[in-house]
Amino acid sequence: MAETAWSTDTGEAVYRSRDPVRNLRLRVHLQRITSSNFLRYQPAAQPGKDLIDLATFRPHPTASGHRSEEEEEEEVVIGWQEKLFSQFEVDLYRNEAACQSPLDHQYRQEILKLEDSGGRKNRRIFTYTDSDRYTNVEEHCQKMTTAAREVPSFLVERMANVRRRRQDRRGMEGGILKSRIVTWEPSEEFVRNNHVINTPLQTMYIMADLGPYGKLGYKKYEHVLCTLKVDSNGVITVKPDFTGLKGPYRIETEGEKQELWKFTVDNASSLAQPEEEEREQRVFKDLYGRHKEYLSSLVGTDFEMTVPGALRLFVNGEVVSAQGYEYDNLYVHFFVELPATNWSSPAFQQLSGITQTCATKSLGMDKVAYFSYPFTFEASFLHEDESADALPEWPVLYCEVLSLDFWQRCRVEGYGAVVLPATPGSHTLTVPTWRPMELGTVAELRRFFIGGCLELEDLSYVRIPGTFKICSPRMGGRMGVTSVWCWGLEPTEA
């Protein structure tokens, strides 16, 4: 028998499963292909005949005259953390003096039961579980590279004692951490548990005893067929990967009699029945429902949902600065006007505000007052007409800039208005302002000494007054600039 399609990819594969790992089953098939003694006799080529007789490759009979088929080929189905004893372990645990730990005594009892029931079913294929000593030694001595003379680095030496194994969490130093923030003399266990990513995982090795016929039970003939690792997150690491549609893997033994073996590893887990899948879906649905209720309890009932068909506007803004005004000690009085049609705000909402008084500083040719005064408000608009011509009017921000003189008398420095942006995001708005003024020296002297000046009775005249009237031709105006930064403008619509 000759195999040509060998699988050379012996790297590990990673899977994730939501099912319990105890349902995992692997089918391992091991078969001997040929040995060096098959080719021991090779006749010389005769003239005109370049081919070798197939009888050359016929295996030689053993001392008993035949070779057992069980020694040539074996197939077993192995469950997760299922213990299959090797011939070495059977010979070892038969001797009660060799049993030192409780696990050794447990294995001895299991081996005695197997012998009473007819002996173990496996011959060459066996396993090492997460509790066996082989797992500890293998994890400690494993190499990081494929180099024959590998020198472990400092990191490898430091990580060699880190056990990524599932162990019971005991409160050795957990209670100390709550009362003591700094541990002046940390132990090695404390350092490993607190400074290394230590994901709990379980390991299992599927082994094969590839010793010659009749010489099973020697450690030097043990070979690893497959390594399984499962962590607490349901991640399953298989090395090498399941055979599937690929060719079998091969093992060449060392020594005087080099032999060739092939093996395959397949997933033999049984598929879930429709009733089990339906029951599992119900369990998950119930679990997710309970988790949703738990999250809702954390949010509480104070979280207000948007009314269907309504648009909610949230504005977080800041009055940044004012510049270009005549006098010092400025402050800004501002308010938001909502359109009369379908706009509303909460009863507790304050739609107006006054900044602090700020002295100006020179910035080039202008004097600038920096307020950095934050404000916030919210409003809602209820749709009644869904047509395209029924777009809502948008709220307007009105500003009135005033100044204080030495006697704490107020002077109007300017009026301004700006429509709030209709798009969400961060916006910087510059509001041009103006004020009514009388022409002549007397009016300016009165403004400087007494503080009196012309004022608007209705600030809506800054933009579009309710009743429009032509102003007197003797009225003039003076311009200034107020900077308003609206950030976090978030209109939401149900």
Side-chain angles (χ1 to χ4, degrees), residues 348-448:
F348 62 87
Q349 185 70 59
Q350 187 175 0
L351 298 179
S352 62
I354 301 177
T355 68
Q356 74 278 12
T357 303
C358 183
T360 61
K361 62 180 296 185
S362 297
L363 183 65
M365 299 296 293
D366 292 330
K367 293 183 178 180
V368 184
Y370 292 98
F371 302 103
S372 299
Y373 183 86
F375 65 91
T376 180
F377 74 91
E378 63 175 282
S380 59
F381 174 80
L382 183 61
H383 287 273
E384 292 184 353
D385 190 355
E386 299 292 340
S387 63
D389 298 333
L391 296 177
E393 297 182 15
W394 215 247
V396 180
L397 177 66
Y398 288 89
C399 298
E400 180 184 10
V401 183
L402 304 100
S403 63
L404 289 176
D405 62 6
F406 180 76
W407 304 102
Q408 299 297 312
R409 290 176 298 191
C410 298
R411 291 184 296 257
V412 175
E413 298 292 335
Y415 299 99
V418 64
V419 180
L420 295 180
T423 57
S426 178
H427 304 271
T428 300
L429 307 177
T430 301
V431 184
T433 59
W434 63 273
R435 68 174 177 87
M437 60 179 297
E438 295 179 273
L439 300 180
T441 306
V442 177
E444 291 299 320
L445 290 175
R446 185 187 304 113
R447 171 179 168 79
F448 180 81

Side-chain angles (χ1 to χ4, degrees), residues 317-342:
E318 178 184 4
V319 181
V320 180
S321 62
Q323 69 180 46
Y325 295 99
E326 185 177 2
Y327 292 103
D328 201 352
N329 298 325
L330 302 176
Y331 67 94
V332 179
H333 171 226
F334 62 92
F335 68 92
V336 177
E337 182 187 44
L338 299 178
T341 307
N342 299 332

Side-chain angles (χ1 to χ4, degrees), residues 8 33 70 74 79 118 172 192 198 205 221 298 347 384 459 472 479:
T8 59
I33 299 301
E70 295 181 353
E74 184 176 354
M172 297 173 56
R192 287 196 296 267
N198 193 14
Y205 293 92
Y221 296 127
L298 295 180
E384 292 184 353
L459 291 184
S472 171
M479 297 296 294

Side-chain angles (χ1 to χ4, degrees), residues 296-304:
S296 300
S297 65
L298 295 180
V299 174
T301 58
D302 297 334
F303 187 81
E304 182 182 358

